[in-house]
Amino acid sequence: MGIFDGCLLASDVDGTLIENDVIHPRVLEKIRYFTDEGGIFALSTGRSLGAVSAVLEKVEGIGPSVVCNGCMIYDYAQKKILFQITESQMVKDLVSYIYQNLPQVGIELHCEEKVLVLRRNAEIADHERYERLDSADITLEEALKLKWNKALLAVENATDIDVFLSLAKPEQDFLPAHTTAFIDGRARHYCELLPKGINKAVSTQKLCELLNIKKGGFFAIGDYYNDEEMVLAADVGAITKNAPEDLRQKADYISETVENGAVADFIDYLETVVQTR
């Protein structure tokens, strides 16, 4: 019987588990230790179903995971969708407006395993390279006939994201979320349009139910605002040392940076927590 039996550790990917396609060697060692001791290690990421190949190649035994910022739970071992929600007509209407009126904005659509590009720009090109996305171009007419799990808007300047965030209205059934990735030495900023009421916290808690995680056994770590609800919902939640200060103040534990093995550091801390209960 392992010390992490009945426990789930959900980790954000970019800026927490991996950076520029690199995972700290000690992180791999500690994840193996966590799973050997009975725990389930899961991803909880804004990346879509087909965008985690770099992680799957490096980390063995990843359990059912949350992708698309909570819009899907996928079992990589069984190659099976356990839960998903798709975008509303309101999102499609907004994307149509942006496509027709804001030509500088790159637009990606994520539909289960497919990544479709409605409009390319330099930021979309870098995003696809960074996440190793195998994408296809699509017309607006074709896109509107499909079910989307996530729409991603890519712009060059972080201040442009504020324009999209201001679009959120109480009567709408979606929320824009500001997400980031650090690519080629520069922070990249995206706006993801997500169904209202769905986030990493909601879906990781649903994952806990599906996996029968024991009371007190849900742990989570992240580094940015789209991780906040998940970290607060966890029984023990961690934020990386280089995360925004207001997030660090809310966490149970402040871990090392991704470059210094954030997830490994958190697992060391969790070991002391469970052994003193």
Side-chain angles (χ1 to χ4, degrees), residues 1-96:
M1 185 173 179
I3 65 170
F4 291 118
D5 279 347
C7 295
L8 172 71
L9 170 53
S11 173
D12 171 55
V13 172
D14 297 289
T16 303
L17 177 66
I18 189 171
E19 192 74 270
N20 289 323
D21 218 16
V22 175
I23 300 179
H24 194 289
R26 190 164 177 272
V27 169
L28 299 176
E29 173 190 334
K30 297 305 291 188
I31 290 173
R32 282 193 297 270
Y33 170 71
F34 183 82
T35 56
D36 286 346
E37 287 292 326
I40 298 172
F41 180 77
L43 308 178
S44 184
T45 178
R47 294 192 184 206
S48 62
L49 178 57
V52 295
S53 59
V55 181
L56 297 176
E57 290 170 3
K58 294 176 173 65
V59 184
E60 297 178 358
I62 292 176
S65 294
V66 171
V67 296
C68 288
N69 268 323
C71 293
M72 182 184 295
I73 299 175
Y74 188 75
D75 188 329
Y76 283 96
Q78 298 187 48
K79 300 187 184 329
K80 180 180 179 182
I81 296 172
L82 304 181
F83 164 82
Q84 72 169 319
I85 187 167
T86 55
E87 300 279 27
S88 69
Q89 186 60 48
M90 282 187 176
V91 171
K92 291 185 174 182
D93 291 344
L94 176 58
V95 169
S96 297

Side-chain angles (χ1 to χ4, degrees), residues 215-236:
K215 185 177 180 180
F218 171 38
F219 316 131
I221 181 171
D223 76 305
Y224 207 64
Y225 292 107
N226 63 322
D227 302 311
E228 180 177 359
E229 293 95 343
M230 175 182 73
V231 169
L232 293 177
D235 296 303
V236 184

Side-chain angles (χ1 to χ4, degrees), residues 93-120:
D93 291 344
L94 176 58
V95 169
S96 297
Y97 173 83
I98 291 170
Y99 178 78
Q100 293 164 355
N101 295 279
L102 300 173
Q104 76 277 18
V105 179
I107 305 172
E108 272 179 15
L109 306 175
H110 296 255
C111 311
E112 294 188 356
E113 75 282 358
K114 295 180 181 178
V115 180
L116 305 170
V117 178
L118 188 56
R119 181 164 55 223
R120 297 183 181 276

Side-chain angles (χ1 to χ4, degrees), residues 41 48 54 65 115 122 144 154 172 175 186 202 213 220 224 250:
F41 180 77
S48 62
S65 294
V115 180
L144 294 175
Q172 293 172 334
L175 288 173
R186 179 166 66 88
V202 171
I213 298 305
Y224 207 64
K250 299 175 183 178

Side-chain angles (χ1 to χ4, degrees), residues 118-132:
L118 188 56
R119 181 164 55 223
R120 297 183 181 276
N121 63 5
E123 297 301 314
I124 289 290
D126 287 344
H127 183 248
E128 290 187 299
R129 174 173 54 82
Y130 177 74
E131 293 195 356
R132 299 189 192 176

